[in-house]
Amino acid sequence: MTRFDLLSWGANSHHQLGQSVESEQCVSPVAVNLNAVLGLIESEIEIKKVTGGAGHSLILDVNGNVYSCGWNAKGQTGIPGSQSYLSEFELIDKLKDVVIVDVACGWDSSMAIDNKGNLYVWGSNAYGQLGVRSSKIGNKAVIESPEKIDLQDFESEPIKKVSMGLRHSAVVTISGKLLVAGNGNKCQLGVIDSSNKPVRKIHTFTQVHDLSGIKSVACGQHHTLVQTNQGNLYAWGDNRHGQLGFDPIAYPSIASPSKLENINIGLNGEIFTGWTHSAALHDGKIIAWGRNTYGQLGRAELNKFQRNWIPELVKNKECHFIQLAVGSEHNVALTENGSVITWGWNEHGNCGNGTEEDVRLPVPIEMPKLGRVQLVGTGAGHSFAVVKYREDQENR
């Protein structure tokens, strides 16, 4: 029988690591006992995705079940109750009768998509980031358990992609429309009003009309990055650190979608955003741009005159990357040979190398030698890896 372990490390001030213990941080990977936590016999859970927000985490398994743990003061775990946090992963009961295919976390809110393209939202809606204003739910500041949104304005068109930033969200419809909601005080929504000014807040999902044929979207702290079906990238929002891929001196912010020239990541590329940096994974290579204060670009130099807004390759001797997960200011990548590589902000041990010093250059971290890492994930300041063991590796 195949067995899977979930390892977690980094910030744990709200029990977001799911380790059943309260601690400020965990600086090296530690296994989460999912069998005991989820009441499973052997290891029946195979994880498809693991991600997190500021202080909460979500697991999506291959059967479409969603589990959560961590900070719950604003309902972001999707499990209502009086407790301010969940110390162990628990099944989100409200979603057990649907098949979820993707999940996303904002700072203190969450979203999910089912296999029919329906969108579910829960957690903080203080800035309209859940896109909820209906007769059924109302314009609530907090939604304690998942509620399905009816996108009537778009003929209930199925959703295929979802992303959440600090206080704004974006979804991509099956036809390639981009819809946004939430806070737009830094132009991160990309929506212009009738007086040609950036819209500062939207409580219901609204289309960004300058775009079509969108494949995927990634929301940062105050910026947004999209990928088209042709592999082109467009960005908008805050650009003080060059996170949009444009010179921040000339363009401190950009109000509407602007194409990044000379970058095309093809049909199989993927895009990612941290709080103030951006990245793309394409053909085994990672390209990054934006803020590098903590080494989040994987570049050792911190010269203030360096043009970090120009996308460059993240260099590592184990250069064929197959997965990337980006936290607020740190990165976790998986290579073809199963190595986990981390770099960037490490104040809470979120890089997993046993220290609290920032990691300027990508370095591998220690993982179980008998298993093979299948998947990596991140929250704002915490990280995950899923390790698969064969039957002959059970007795470690």
Side-chain angles (χ1 to χ4, degrees), residues 7-70:
L7 306 183
S8 62
W9 63 94
N12 194 41
S13 55
H14 294 91
H15 297 255
Q16 59 263 48
L17 298 184
Q19 296 176 1
S20 307
V21 295
E22 182 176 357
S23 62
E24 180 63 26
Q25 61 196 30
C26 177
V27 298
S28 299
V30 172
V32 178
N33 185 2
L34 290 179
N35 294 344
V37 170
L38 304 178
L40 299 170
I41 300 174
E42 299 297 337
S43 281
E44 297 176 357
I45 181 172
E46 182 175 350
I47 296 174
K48 178 180 179 180
K49 183 175 183 177
V50 57
T51 188
H56 73 294
S57 304
L58 299 179
I59 290 174
L60 172 64
D61 73 17
V62 295
N63 297 315
N65 299 306
V66 183
Y67 311 84
S68 65
C69 74

Side-chain angles (χ1 to χ4, degrees), residues 18 53 60 97 136 150 155 160-161 194 205 260 263 285 307 324 362 374:
L60 172 64
D97 295 326
K136 177 182 177 183
D150 187 1
E155 299 179 347
K160 66 177 182 179
K161 294 289 183 180
S194 58
F205 277 106
L260 279 71
I263 299 180
K285 306 291 185 183
R307 289 147 60 93
L324 175 64
Q374 301 288 299

Side-chain angles (χ1 to χ4, degrees), residues 287-305:
I287 306 168
W289 61 95
R291 192 179 185 186
N292 195 41
T293 308
Y294 308 107
Q296 53 266 59
L297 301 184
R299 307 176 194 174
E301 301 86 357
L302 296 176
N303 188 327
K304 66 180 180 179
F305 298 109

Side-chain angles (χ1 to χ4, degrees), residues 158-339:
I159 301 300
K160 66 177 182 179
K161 294 289 183 180
V162 60
S163 180
M164 304 191 78
L166 178 66
R167 291 167 178 161
H168 78 292
S169 306
V171 299
V172 180
T173 70
I174 196 71
S175 68
K177 297 184 182 74
L178 181 72
L179 315 180
V180 295
N183 191 9
N185 66 330
K186 302 289 186 179
C187 301
Q188 62 265 48
L189 296 177
V191 177
I192 307 299
D193 65 18
S194 58
S195 61
N196 204 33
K197 294 181 179 179
V199 175
R200 298 300 182 181
K201 185 180 288 188
I202 300 176
H203 284 279
T204 57
F205 277 106
T206 300
Q207 185 176 356
V208 181
H209 287 287
D210 294 340
L211 294 170
S212 61
I214 301 303
K215 178 185 177 184
S216 62
V217 60
C219 296
Q221 183 182 34
H222 300 304
H223 75 291
T224 307
L225 180 68
V226 297
Q227 171 190 5
T228 70
N229 291 329
Q230 290 74 39
N232 296 313
L233 304 186
Y234 290 80
W236 60 93
D238 183 24
N239 192 44
R240 288 176 299 164
H241 302 283
Q243 61 264 48
L244 301 185
F246 298 89
D247 185 348
I249 296 176
Y251 304 98
S253 68
I254 297 177
S256 58
S258 298
K259 183 180 178 182
L260 279 71
E261 299 296 339
N262 303 318
I263 299 180
N264 187 298
I265 60 173
L267 295 177
N268 297 320
E270 298 178 80
I271 56 173
F272 306 85
T273 50
W275 269 185
T276 50
H277 73 293
S278 303
L281 173 62
H282 175 51
D283 283 346
K285 306 291 185 183
I286 295 172
I287 306 168
W289 61 95
R291 192 179 185 186
N292 195 41
T293 308
Y294 308 107
Q296 53 266 59
L297 301 184
R299 307 176 194 174
E301 301 86 357
L302 296 176
N303 188 327
K304 66 180 180 179
F305 298 109
Q306 188 178 0
R307 289 147 60 93
N308 289 331
W309 57 273
I310 299 175
E312 291 185 5
L313 284 175
V314 173
K315 298 176 182 178
N316 183 269
K317 63 180 180 180
E318 301 183 66
C319 61
H320 195 89
F321 296 102
I322 59 173
Q323 288 180 24
L324 175 64
V326 177
S328 60
E329 304 286 2
H330 77 290
N331 312 267
V332 180
L334 179 63
T335 69
E336 191 174 41
N337 66 8
S339 295

Side-chain angles (χ1 to χ4, degrees), residues 378-394:
T378 55
H382 58 296
S383 309
F384 299 96
V386 177
V387 181
K388 179 180 180 180
Y389 301 90
R390 297 194 310 271
E391 185 175 359
D392 59 353
Q393 295 171 334
E394 289 288 324

Side-chain angles (χ1 to χ4, degrees), residues 96-109:
K96 69 179 182 180
D97 295 326
V98 295
V99 178
I100 300 300
V101 296
D102 197 12
V103 293
C105 293
W107 182 257
D108 49 11
S109 51

